[in-house]
Amino acid sequence: MDVLELYRRTGALLEGHFLLRSGMHSPLFLQSAALLQHPLYAEAVGEALGKLFEDEKVDLVIAPAIGGVVLSFVVAKALGARALFAEKDGKGGMLIRKGLTVNPGDRFLAVEDVVTTGESVRKAIQAAEARGGVLVGVGAIVDRSGGRASFGVPFRALVSLEVPQYAPEACPLCREGVPLEEV
């Protein structure tokens, strides 16, 4: 599967000057919600990501809300597992809503659409581990960390991209006067 072609086909691969959640600037942004709004594409991505972890016993798949809710569902479906999400707790972390169950010893896969620093998925991991879950892997549609993201378990992505990221004070796009879009 050509994941980047799916991003292009759905208008989810954007070029310009973007302020990422990490605070960094980038000339490329992947708007995964535009891709995952298409059920057939979402299911294909979920199946492909699930295949990367088919040798693991997975009880549940968790992702950071809100962007990871669909991804968690389609990967869980592919693996025959439960789908959960973690949401912001208002204190800088994440929590798992009451009614969503993580049993002590449950083996879980954490997924994220695009990993740049890995901070969002780490917070979802911490929420599941706080309930006794055992992390077995981290999956992403796109790894744009440049190979720097590490979680202490296997980290696998459908595609890895080397995309420049700039601190605001060192951003050549800012110096050129390219308008900055917050995403």
Side-chain angles (χ1 to χ4, degrees), residues 24-80:
M24 302 292 277
H25 292 201
S26 177
L28 182 78
F29 183 71
L30 298 158
Q31 179 56 278
S32 299
L35 167 64
L36 296 173
Q37 72 177 330
H38 299 277
L40 293 178
Y41 295 153
E43 193 166 69
V45 166
E47 288 174 6
L49 197 48
K51 280 187 196 301
L52 297 179
F53 294 93
E54 65 188 357
D55 292 337
E56 294 288 343
K57 178 191 177 300
V58 175
D59 298 305
L60 64 98
V61 178
I62 192 166
I66 189 163
V69 173
V70 171
L71 185 61
S72 172
F73 179 84
V74 294
V75 173
K77 181 177 183 250
L79 292 172

Side-chain angles (χ1 to χ4, degrees), residues 95-168:
L95 56 81
I96 298 169
R97 187 179 293 225
K98 289 182 181 177
L100 298 178
T101 306
V102 178
N103 297 305
D106 275 352
R107 296 168 54 84
F108 73 94
L109 173 66
V111 295
E112 176 72 291
D113 57 346
V114 179
V115 169
T116 301
T117 64
E119 202 53 40
S120 293
V121 77
R122 274 189 187 83
K123 291 176 182 178
I125 290 166
Q126 290 167 351
E129 288 178 334
R131 294 252 194 115
V134 178
L135 180 66
V136 298
V138 176
I141 302 172
V142 179
D143 174 10
R144 63 173 282 164
S145 76
R148 291 181 298 279
S150 177
F151 302 94
V153 293
F155 172 47
R156 301 179 184 127
L158 295 178
V159 65
S160 295
L161 289 179
E162 291 291 330
V163 179
Q165 299 175 59
Y166 309 105

Side-chain angles (χ1 to χ4, degrees), residues 87-95 123-124 126-127:
E87 53 193 320
K88 292 179 181 177
D89 65 5
K91 302 173 197 161
M94 288 193 173
L95 56 81
K123 291 176 182 178
Q126 290 167 351

